[in-house]
Amino acid sequence: MTRMRSDTRTSDAGGVATGSPPPAESDKIPAHVWRTAGVVVFGAIMGMLDTSLVNIGLRTIGTDLGASLATIQWVASAYLLALGVSLTVCGWLARRIGVTRLWMGALVAFTLTSTACAFAPTAGWLIGMRVLQGLAAGLMIPAGQTILGQAAGPQRMGRVMGVVGIAVVGAPAIGPTIGGLMLAHWSWEWLFLINIPFGLIGLGLGLRYLPRTAGVPMPRLDVLGVALAGGGVSAIVYGLSEIGVTGSVAALSVWLPVVLGIAGLAGFLFRALRTERPLLDIRLFANPAFRAANTASFFAGGAMFGVMVLLPLYFQVLHGTGLIRTGVDLLAYGLGGIVMLPLGGRLTDRFGGGRVAVLGNLLIAAAVLPLAFLPADANGILIQFLLFAAGMATGVGAMPLVSAAYASVERAQLPDATAFVNILQRVGGAVGVALVAVILSRATASGWAPVSGYHLAFAGLAAMSLVASALSTVLRNHQRQP
């Protein structure tokens, strides 16, 4: 196994001590790295934007295809479950065929399945294509991050990953606006057809600018490991997502998948510890900096995805705004993240991801917590200010943890590291969304005033940010360790 990098490194990204000098001239980011980042962002935008676009159009799609809401919900669920499976095999494939080939192959597959989704004659066909699309997305996103991490190096990780963060934060925030406008003027098929130009441009740029990486001989794919890890992650995400449907953690469709998922992951861990070449190298978590960054990222991801789900409900249900107006109201959150992410990347390279994430997640809590006390008729300008502040805080709260995780491992370990980061963020996001669903459903069942449920949900997400901030101090301490 490749030797893990000590968390006592002196590089700027994720390992710099307090009072370190700014990045030296040699740490300036070359043009070819920025070109690589620009290409990878195409894939990140496609993967992140697709989820919010399709979720907006579920009712329209169901009506057109003559499917019930319960059936058409699987258009969203199938994508998420398939994504969880392919995340676990991404590292093996990246080594086997080369990470650039994997990214471009996944991009082509995502584009082709998007086209197939647009021409789906039945709901069953659409769900099947969404499974394939989710498998492609689960390979494309971490493969792109691996390419970028290998090109940037640890001392530039924060600045470069900040570019990818623009897609992570910005795409879901502007997705409802774009989706609402598209559905207002075009048919639902365009929610998928929009991926075709992105895919073609990304493929052309990838062929021209991405570094060529050769594959290496690999042992046979651990099919049982894929079943245990991929099935476990997917089952947990599905069970948690069912809380939003059932409104209860006691429902069979909630607790049974979660229990089975935990059992699957436990089986995978047991198998991985007894295997010389496991599907995913869980020994990465022996690295204290990597472990701390992922633990904090789990809660930061829960808060971020929870806020992204709660805010549309807040405007549509509590304030009674329409679909397009809701999307416009959400723009402030996305714009705040886009504005701050580049600065967050520079701060990460200058001071280390731990220190920046401590402050960033505290600021997220400070921006979200006031929403737990505002009345339903609160001033719209005040709400927009808080959303913009929350978006800015996210730019210095979530991505520095990802950058620190990648900067703490060796170059050869990045394929597994990106898989773990994406898996934990995905599960953490499901926990955050489940928290919102439980609080809102309990508030409704208890007969509380509608605003009270939203107050409690915002307070819960602020608490998750505070936990992420506290855990980021552990990362900071390991990075400063002499």
Side-chain angles (χ1 to χ4, degrees):
M1 182 179 68
T2 307
R3 178 181 61 85
M4 281 191 293
R5 177 177 295 164
S6 169
D7 53 307
T8 62
R9 295 172 294 107
T10 57
S11 64
D12 289 318
V16 68
T18 305
S20 299
E25 290 294 318
S26 60
D27 287 338
K28 286 187 176 180
I29 300 175
H32 73 87
V33 176
W34 284 125
R35 286 194 294 268
T36 299
V39 175
V40 168
V41 164
F42 270 94
I45 289 176
M46 289 173 67
M48 296 302 297
L49 187 61
D50 190 77
T51 301
S52 57
L53 283 181
V54 174
N55 287 347
I56 286 292
L58 285 180
R59 288 186 179 273
T60 303
I61 295 171
T63 300
D64 190 64
L65 296 179
S68 66
L69 184 59
T71 298
I72 212 66
Q73 287 286 352
W74 276 99
V75 172
S77 298
Y79 179 87
L80 295 177
L81 300 185
L83 188 146
V85 171
S86 55
L87 282 175
T88 60
V89 77
C90 183
W92 185 90
L93 283 173
R95 294 185 175 93
R96 177 67 179 81
I97 66 174
V99 66
T100 299
R101 291 177 182 173
L102 176 62
W103 184 85
M104 289 196 292
L107 180 69
V108 170
F110 192 91
T111 305
L112 291 175
T113 52
S114 295
T115 306
C117 287
F119 292 98
T122 65
W125 173 278
L126 180 57
I127 292 168
M129 291 302 100
R130 285 287 283 175
V131 170
L132 298 179
Q133 194 181 38
L135 291 173
L139 298 174
M140 181 171 60
I141 295 173
Q145 292 175 356
T146 299
I147 294 170
L148 197 51
Q150 291 178 344
Q155 73 275 14
R156 310 178 185 117
M157 193 73 72
R159 284 167 286 171
V160 176
M161 288 303 297
V163 175
V164 178
I166 291 175
V168 173
V169 176
I174 66 175
T177 304
I178 296 175
L181 290 172
M182 291 175 69
L183 289 172
H185 296 91
W186 301 326
S187 63
W188 63 264
E189 287 86 352
W190 286 98
L191 299 176
F192 298 102
L193 292 174
I194 193 176
N195 289 323
I196 296 177
F198 278 107
L200 293 176
I201 295 172
L203 180 62
L205 293 176
L207 290 170
R208 180 175 177 84
Y209 293 118
L210 289 186
R212 298 294 181 263
T213 53
V216 297
M218 290 291 293
R220 181 177 298 177
L221 178 64
D222 182 5
V223 178
L224 179 58
V226 174
L228 291 172
V233 171
S234 297
I236 291 173
V237 171
Y238 173 74
L240 293 174
S241 67
E242 278 292 288
I243 294 177
V245 178
T246 64
S248 170
V249 296
L252 182 66
S253 61
V254 173
W255 67 261
L256 182 59
V258 171
V259 169
L260 292 176
I262 293 173
L265 290 181
F268 169 75
L269 293 176
F270 179 78
R271 181 178 177 81
L273 289 172
R274 297 168 60 89
T275 303
E276 184 178 353
R277 300 289 297 271
L279 176 68
L280 289 172
D281 185 9
I282 63 171
R283 295 175 182 86
L284 285 175
F285 286 93
N287 181 332
F290 184 77
R291 183 174 63 246
N294 274 279
T295 306
S297 185
F298 175 90
F299 287 94
M304 182 175 69
F305 284 103
V307 166
M308 288 180 178
V309 169
L310 181 59
L311 286 176
L313 296 174
Y314 176 73
F315 286 115
Q316 290 178 340
V317 178
L318 198 61
H319 291 266
T321 57
L323 190 62
I324 296 177
R325 172 62 187 275
T326 296
V328 173
D329 287 338
L330 291 175
L331 285 177
Y333 179 79
L335 290 175
I338 291 172
V339 167
M340 186 55 68
L341 276 162
L343 177 59
R346 292 189 63 84
L347 292 174
T348 297
D349 287 344
R350 172 66 175 82
F351 297 106
R355 293 187 67 190
V356 176
V358 169
L359 176 62
N361 283 286
L362 281 176
L363 292 175
I364 293 172
V368 171
L369 194 57
L371 294 170
F373 298 97
L374 292 178
D377 58 350
N379 183 277
I381 296 177
L382 175 60
I383 293 175
Q384 290 299 303
F385 172 79
L386 291 173
L387 293 186
F388 187 75
M392 293 182 68
T394 300
V396 290
M399 290 310 296
L401 293 169
V402 175
S403 301
Y406 295 159
S408 68
V409 302
E410 298 286 355
R411 175 187 174 93
Q413 295 170 320
L414 273 171
D416 285 350
T418 55
F420 279 126
V421 167
N422 280 277
I423 287 171
L424 285 169
Q425 276 196 335
R426 180 64 54 186
V427 176
V431 170
V433 173
L435 175 66
V436 169
V438 168
I439 291 175
L440 292 182
S441 63
R442 290 292 177 89
T444 301
S446 302
W448 298 352
V451 69
S452 300
Y454 289 92
H455 283 170
L456 189 56
F458 280 121
L461 295 174
M464 291 192 76
S465 293
L466 291 176
V467 172
S469 179
L471 292 171
S472 297
T473 62
V474 179
L475 171 63
R476 180 197 62 188
N477 293 337
H478 282 301
Q479 289 175 328
R480 296 178 60 189
Q481 182 177 318

